[in-house]
Every structure is written in structure tokens, then in C-alpha cells.
Amino acid sequence: MKFDPDKIRKDASEDFDRTWNDSAKYVKKPLLNDHYPLTSINYGKPHPVYDTIAKLREAYLRMGFEEIMNPIIVDEQDVHKQFGQEALAVLDRCFYLAGLPRPNAGISDERISKIKEMLGDLSTEDIDLIRKVLHAYKKGDIEGDDLVPEMAAKLEVSDSLIVEVIDQVFPEFKELTPKAGKRTLRSHMTSGWFISLSEILKRREPPFNLFSIDRCFRREQQEDAARLMTYYSASCVIMDEDVTVDHGKAVAQALLSQFGFEKFQFRPDEKRSKYYSPDTQIEVFAYHPKLVDSNTKYSDGWVEIATFGIYSPIPLSKYEIPYPVMNLGLGVERLAMIIHEATDLRGMSYPQMELYSEWEMSDSELARHVEIDMIPETSQGREIFEAIVKQCEIHASEPSPCEFPAWEGEIEGHNVKVSVIEPEEDTKLCGPAAFNEIVIYNNDILGLPNNKKWKKAFSNHSARTGVRFIEALAAKAASEVEDAVAKGDTEIETRARIIKTPAEINIKLSTLAQRYVTGKNKKIDIRGPMFTTIKTEIS
């Protein structure tokens, strides 16, 4: 709350302790359902794959590599040039690009008659305009998304009418099937490197240290925990007359050491791809201490993380490249799985998909889905709420019958008197569960007493809602007082006996929280003997 600095300085010079103690009144109290943890600071979270890409880019740049973008669309003939005898096996895994052919839509007398029924009496010139537009579309002079607005503009009719005409008069548009050409989506970053390097050599002299991190596409028979049809490759090349296999080892260590890998093994790759020179294709196994004894297939700490080799001069020569090239390729998703301790590529890449990943919410997140349902809206209502809670805290254990005034004042011209009462004998003002708090513990939503037994549940303050049964009941009572004054009632009682459900104590759980807890077979256990009554008299 705003304050007067001059007054504060003056009061403090006269009586510092009193001014300091009084300064608490300038600190605004949060409204109900605005307190922590419901009040939280939202923050963005990077996707594991893109986070890893960002770190890989920084790592490569620190190593002095220059970033480039390689072609994604690769002609079939380039695959044959690069992979030689293995091209058919590579192409079997490639996605071919297809497109819809342009139909040759003629206009017969029958079609002209139907068009006129839909658009009105068209002239011979109008029909000729339709023919010309369709012909221009067939030749490619008009793009598909311009066909409707172009024809509508020529005929001076609405787009929606033209859409109906094309739908009902020209069925060949709906019967089109895609036809594939010779272009593919690259399945290996290597496909782009040959093309890029041949072009770079036309303008620059080696040595080159280049890297590219981008998507590749592979037509797998099926996706599973270790394979995706589209993945990211973090690939680099060194073109230099004196490049050797040892450069691949050095790059692998320099790159992966920046991610916490400590030891390395270099093993010959049994695949022996023909686009690499013989005996240069090497697999990189890196040791990561966090994987030791983990619940993964890498529990010994060693994981295959990259492959490198020296490109064969045979495909290089087909691109007029006279220099040796070392290429290293690393699967980004595999590295991301290790960094983020994931076990399934699909779940890590697409955590929003229920099919691929388990839904996980922390106790802290769940706590933000618990609210008080009925809350007072006016300043007097909030005063009543605070007064009820205060009286219950002071007199909870007083033997009954008993009654304690909580608040008295004026609301909209009416005198209002609020008391906490217990008319029955041989009991107390408040029952044993009155001060239970709503706490999230191991994904269970519980109403618990803050005692030694539940010490662990209360140790995580971000999973404590800060809402006790008495606060929820007091808020309901204060809200009902506001409603009673508006309706002209003269007396009301707000009572809680044995609580069995959240709603009975004025607690509201979001639909999301209920669905999550139920789906996880966790508990919503908010119950207990409260036995508290608030009485209000209005005159």
C-alpha cells in the first residue's frame, strides 16, 4: 500500500519502535484465493530437444565451427551419386515428395447450365472468363489458393458461391490423388553436405569447419521408444587436405565434454557405409556418470552417441570435390534423452501427447488447483472472515456450551452481529479437524493436522495450500452474511459437522486436478470432525 514518506520519517524520529511496529499495516494482505501457492510466477520452459540444440550450437561455435543450412529437399539422383550401391536401401527409407496434379476441367453445356442455376444468368463473356481462369490454373499461372478469389473477382460474385460451384460442378477437383516426383526429404545430413560443399568450393578455399543442426526424415516401419520418423541431426564437417580420423576423435571429445561426458571409446562401425572410406567409419561411445546404475540400457554408463568417418573420394569426385572431408553426425534426441533422463524418444519429443507420455504433475502444481469456493466480496465480508478465524484460533478448546462474539458492524444500513457458537454440552467450540490444512502429499490431496505424524507432508511449503478447514468455513460464512443482507434475512447459521467431501467444507478442486488424481488412482481425502457453527443476526 502507498504511504507518506514525510510522515514515516517524522514518526520514526519521534518513536522508532512504535513506527516500525505500525508499519505492518502498509503491507497488503492477499485476498482469498490470491495467496501463495495460488499466487505464483509463471515461467517458460524450453523443450528438451530445442534446449539441446541450443547448447549444441553454442558448443560448436565455441569450437570455431561455422554454422550453415543444408538443403532439406534432395533429388533422387543426388542420393544415387552420394550412396552408390547403397542408394536403393537409402531411398527405401526416404519420403518422396508428391503434389496434386492440376485437373483439366472442361465446361460442357450441362455444366454451363448448372453454373447459371447457381450464379444467375451469365453472359457468353462470363463463361469464357471461367474457361480462361481454369486454363490459367491448369498451366500454373494461377496458384491453388488464388483460384477461388480470382474467379470471384472476374465474375463479381462472392467467394462462397464460387466454392459451391467448384464443389458441385467440377468433381474432378475432389477426385485428385497425389503424384510423386523424384525429389525426396533428406534422410541423412550427408545428403545436404555433398551439395553444400560443392557449392562452397566455387567461392572459397578450404580448410572449412562447418556444422548444421536440422531435421532429417526417415520412413521407418514404425516409431518406437528409440526411433522417430523425423529427427534432428547435429552434423559437422572438416574439409582439409590433411584431415584424418583423429580429427573425428578430437571433435567428438571436444563437443561431448561440454555436456559432462568424461570418458570415450571409439569402436569401428560394423555397417561400413560406402560413402565413407574403408576403415574410417567410427562409432563414438561416451561415458556419463549419471547413467551408471540407471534404469536404462546404458546402466554401465556407456552410450553410443555419434558416428564419424572420412567421406569416400568416389562420391566426392562426383561433386568435383578434390579434398578429403571428415563428417561427424550426432542424434540430438539421443543426447537430449541422456541430459533430461528420458527413456522414450516419443514421450520426450511429444510430451503433450497422451499416447506417448505419462501425465505427471508435481505436488506444487496440484496445490495451485485447490481453491476456496464461496468467498466474501466486500471489505466488511473480509473483516468478518478474519474475525471468525481469529476467535476460533483463540477459543477453539473452550468447553461448551459457549458463544464468542466475532464481529459487529453495519453493512448496507443493517446492523450485523456475527458469533461463533457451540450450543451442545460436553464438547468444545471447534472440533478436532477445524485446523486441518489442505496439503498435497505424493499426489494425494489431503486434509491433515499439522503434527509430528505428518511432518513430511508439511515440509514442502509449495505443496501446502495454506487453507485450513476453518478458513474455508469462515469464508463461506462471510459470503453468506453478504447474501443474507442483500436478501433481507434476519438470521442465518453456517455450520460444519463431520466433513466427508471437499464441497462440504467449501473447497473447490479444478476439473484438471480431479481428472489427474483419479487417473493416477491417488486419493482426495478431505474429511474429519469439524463441529463448528457461525451464527449471524441482522437487524
Side-chain angles (χ1 to χ4, degrees), residues 286-302:
Y287 181 82
H288 203 298
K290 285 189 176 180
L291 293 175
V292 176
D293 296 328
S294 64
N295 189 26
T296 70
K297 65 178 181 179
Y298 308 116
S299 59
D300 62 351
W302 290 97

Side-chain angles (χ1 to χ4, degrees), residues 209-396:
N209 286 24
L210 308 172
F211 80 95
S212 184
I213 305 174
D214 207 347
R215 280 192 184 275
C216 294
F217 305 84
R218 193 167 294 176
R219 193 171 65 92
E220 302 283 3
Q221 295 303 309
Q222 65 178 18
E223 293 188 323
D224 56 32
R227 290 180 296 183
L228 295 175
M229 290 192 182
T230 174
Y231 66 96
Y232 281 93
S233 172
S235 181
C236 72
V237 293
I238 297 178
M239 179 187 284
D240 192 299
E241 288 188 49
D242 299 320
V243 74
T244 69
V245 170
D246 288 325
H247 284 89
K249 295 177 180 179
V251 168
Q253 179 167 354
L255 182 65
L256 294 170
S257 293
Q258 298 180 63
F259 290 87
F261 292 94
E262 298 177 348
K263 306 173 186 176
F264 299 88
Q265 292 181 0
F266 304 104
R267 308 174 189 175
D269 191 340
E270 296 178 357
K271 292 190 289 291
R272 293 173 59 83
S273 303
K274 296 300 185 290
Y275 59 91
Y276 284 127
S277 293
D279 302 322
T280 68
Q281 186 171 343
I282 308 293
E283 289 182 322
V284 181
F285 284 78
Y287 181 82
H288 203 298
K290 285 189 176 180
L291 293 175
V292 176
D293 296 328
S294 64
N295 189 26
T296 70
K297 65 178 181 179
Y298 308 116
S299 59
D300 62 351
W302 290 97
V303 55
E304 179 194 344
I305 200 70
T307 300
F308 67 86
I310 306 295
Y311 281 150
S312 166
I314 297 174
L316 287 173
S317 65
K318 294 177 182 178
Y319 286 88
E320 300 297 329
I321 299 174
Y323 300 98
V325 177
M326 190 285 296
N327 164 245
L328 179 143
L330 182 150
V332 173
E333 284 83 357
R334 179 166 292 185
L335 179 59
M337 283 182 71
I338 297 169
I339 294 171
H340 294 273
E341 300 179 354
T343 57
D344 191 309
L345 277 177
R346 299 163 302 177
M348 180 191 68
S349 299
Y350 309 109
Q352 72 276 19
M353 301 293 188
E354 186 176 359
L355 178 66
Y356 296 143
S357 64
E358 285 290 320
W359 186 15
E360 297 295 340
M361 288 180 73
S362 67
D363 290 348
S364 302
E365 289 177 292
L366 274 174
R368 294 195 286 271
H369 289 269
V370 180
E371 293 185 344
I372 297 175
D373 190 4
M374 297 171 59
I375 58 175
E377 302 291 340
T378 65
S379 59
Q380 295 100 324
R382 289 189 284 272
E383 288 176 11
I384 292 170
F385 159 78
E386 292 177 359
I388 292 171
V389 173
K390 183 176 181 180
Q391 289 301 312
C392 290
E393 287 176 336
I394 295 172
H395 302 290

Side-chain angles (χ1 to χ4, degrees), residues 77-335:
Q77 67 177 355
D78 281 297
V79 178
H80 282 285
K81 287 167 65 176
Q82 297 160 8
F83 293 92
Q85 296 174 339
E86 295 174 321
L88 290 179
V90 173
L91 288 170
D92 179 66
R93 292 292 183 90
C94 284
F95 287 101
Y96 277 80
L97 295 176
L100 292 174
R102 299 289 177 89
N104 188 14
I107 306 182
S108 63
D109 290 341
E110 182 182 352
R111 288 185 172 184
I112 290 172
S113 177
K114 194 166 185 179
I115 292 171
K116 288 182 176 181
E117 287 179 14
M118 300 178 69
L119 300 183
D121 191 19
L122 300 177
S123 67
T124 303
E125 290 78 11
D126 292 333
I127 298 300
D128 192 47
L129 281 173
I130 295 175
R131 284 195 179 96
K132 288 180 178 178
V133 171
L134 290 173
H135 184 62
Y137 170 70
K138 170 67 177 176
K139 292 194 304 177
D141 296 336
I142 296 176
E143 296 297 332
D145 52 359
D146 292 329
L147 175 61
V148 170
E150 183 76 16
M151 192 178 293
K154 296 284 188 185
L155 299 176
E156 297 182 352
V157 298
S158 69
D159 288 9
S160 58
L161 282 175
I162 297 301
V163 170
E164 289 185 27
V165 168
I166 292 174
D167 181 66
Q168 297 182 31
V169 181
F170 301 98
E172 52 263 55
F173 280 88
K174 293 186 289 185
E175 296 166 359
L176 295 174
T177 55
K179 290 188 177 180
K182 298 291 187 180
R183 297 191 302 172
T184 72
L185 293 174
R186 67 172 177 226
S187 59
H188 301 67
M189 189 64 79
T190 284
S191 297
W193 278 127
F194 281 99
I195 298 169
S196 292
L197 290 172
S198 66
E199 294 296 318
I200 293 172
L201 275 175
K202 296 175 182 179
R203 300 181 180 182
R204 294 166 55 184
E205 289 289 330
F208 304 139
N209 286 24
L210 308 172
F211 80 95
S212 184
I213 305 174
D214 207 347
R215 280 192 184 275
C216 294
F217 305 84
R218 193 167 294 176
R219 193 171 65 92
E220 302 283 3
Q221 295 303 309
Q222 65 178 18
E223 293 188 323
D224 56 32
R227 290 180 296 183
L228 295 175
M229 290 192 182
T230 174
Y231 66 96
Y232 281 93
S233 172
S235 181
C236 72
V237 293
I238 297 178
M239 179 187 284
D240 192 299
E241 288 188 49
D242 299 320
V243 74
T244 69
V245 170
D246 288 325
H247 284 89
K249 295 177 180 179
V251 168
Q253 179 167 354
L255 182 65
L256 294 170
S257 293
Q258 298 180 63
F259 290 87
F261 292 94
E262 298 177 348
K263 306 173 186 176
F264 299 88
Q265 292 181 0
F266 304 104
R267 308 174 189 175
D269 191 340
E270 296 178 357
K271 292 190 289 291
R272 293 173 59 83
S273 303
K274 296 300 185 290
Y275 59 91
Y276 284 127
S277 293
D279 302 322
T280 68
Q281 186 171 343
I282 308 293
E283 289 182 322
V284 181
F285 284 78
Y287 181 82
H288 203 298
K290 285 189 176 180
L291 293 175
V292 176
D293 296 328
S294 64
N295 189 26
T296 70
K297 65 178 181 179
Y298 308 116
S299 59
D300 62 351
W302 290 97
V303 55
E304 179 194 344
I305 200 70
T307 300
F308 67 86
I310 306 295
Y311 281 150
S312 166
I314 297 174
L316 287 173
S317 65
K318 294 177 182 178
Y319 286 88
E320 300 297 329
I321 299 174
Y323 300 98
V325 177
M326 190 285 296
N327 164 245
L328 179 143
L330 182 150
V332 173
E333 284 83 357
R334 179 166 292 185
L335 179 59

